[in-house]
Amino acid sequence: RHFGGNRGGFFLNRYDRETRRRVLEYPRPIAICGTEKTVIYNIKKMPRGKVYQMGASGALSSDPGFEREYLCCFHVQKKTLLLYEVDEDDSLAIELEQPMKSKLNFWTVLPPQAHNNTLVIMLITPLGGFHWMPLALEPRPRRVWLRGQELQGKRILAYEEGGSNGYQERSPPRSTVALLLTPSSPSAPPSGTPCVDAWCIRLNRESTAV
């Protein structure tokens, strides 16, 4: 999941309507965190590895589709999310600090298409899934689906969003469904190979799992 963009780490060749040219977008940078240092590996920069003298429990980089580059760090002991803007000289500037009142089970950066080309960080807690849009006027995390009894205590292996509400210009396009992968329940018949369960969840309504 560290390669981001729900593209499996592949290059994305998209068409830019303004310039009428093909634009090659690179995979999302990879963040490797330790107690004292954080290393960001970016394939489109030289040198490709950048070391920052700061520790973190985890870090995610924004999708290459954005005009600016952002880095989000999570600190377990402080229960805090920190959003940094990465300048052209690779220096970091703090943009926003978000306290976490609940345990963070899983997190990822969604593609720009998930919410009207806005930076959206998906936060999954024991309560459910939350969209955190740190660049919005109201950056408070907003719950988009609720954990049902079947998902209580389930470990999240992977998460993606898709679908479309059909809007393109006047109303912002947004995801309508989420796909979760969790380990199979112990009651599943043994097959000799590990299995996973796939859950499809409607967003923003009853959040019913199928």
Side-chain angles (χ1 to χ4, degrees):
R1 63 178 179 271
H2 296 283
F3 289 93
N6 293 337
R7 300 194 296 266
F10 292 102
F11 293 93
L12 175 63
N13 190 3
R14 66 177 177 85
Y15 180 74
D16 192 336
R17 294 182 179 180
E18 295 183 359
T19 60
R20 297 183 179 181
R21 294 181 179 180
R22 289 286 177 179
V23 178
L24 184 63
E25 292 184 353
Y26 292 88
R28 185 184 305 154
I30 305 171
I32 306 172
C33 304
T35 57
E36 298 180 356
K37 297 180 181 179
T38 298
V39 179
I40 307 298
Y41 181 82
N42 195 333
I43 194 174
K44 66 177 183 179
K45 290 185 177 182
M46 293 299 294
R48 293 180 175 175
K50 177 67 175 179
V51 180
Y52 295 97
Q53 301 298 325
M54 64 176 189
S57 305
L60 293 173
S61 296
S62 60
D63 195 276
F66 291 106
E67 296 181 357
R68 298 181 181 179
E69 183 180 351
Y70 295 93
L71 176 68
C72 183
C73 295
F74 176 57
H75 299 270
V76 173
Q77 295 182 350
K78 299 179 181 179
K79 296 182 179 180
T80 302
L81 290 167
L82 289 176
L83 182 73
Y84 298 89
E85 181 180 348
V86 183
D87 297 329
E88 295 182 358
D89 58 353
D90 289 337
S91 61
L92 299 180
I94 296 180
E95 288 287 326
L96 187 65
E97 180 176 346
Q98 175 65 43
M100 287 291 297
K101 298 181 180 180
S102 181
K103 182 180 179 181
L104 184 61
N105 300 135
F106 186 90
W107 67 327
T108 186
V109 176
L110 298 178
Q113 297 83 358
H115 199 289
N116 196 29
N117 296 320
T118 303
L119 177 62
V120 181
I121 300 176
M122 186 66 199
L123 309 174
I124 300 180
T125 73
L127 299 176
F130 293 79
H131 278 176
W132 182 41
M133 295 175 283
L135 303 181
L137 296 177
E138 297 181 1
R140 183 179 178 181
R142 181 174 59 89
R143 188 165 65 186
V144 292
W145 55 268
L146 179 68
R147 274 191 190 249
Q149 294 183 354
E150 298 124 336
L151 284 175
Q152 288 296 331
K154 290 282 188 178
R155 183 165 60 95
I156 308 299
L157 300 177
Y159 180 90
E160 292 186 12
E161 287 187 8
S164 174
N165 58 5
Y167 297 112
Q168 294 295 333
E169 298 179 356
R170 295 183 179 180
S171 300
R174 296 174 180 172
S175 300
T176 58
V177 292
L179 176 67
L180 285 79
L181 295 182
T182 64
S184 295
S185 59
S187 60
S191 59
T193 57
C195 298
V196 298
D197 293 332
W199 304 82
C200 187
I201 300 179
R202 289 194 301 176
L203 300 180
N204 298 313
R205 292 188 179 180
E206 296 86 357
S207 299
T208 304
V210 179

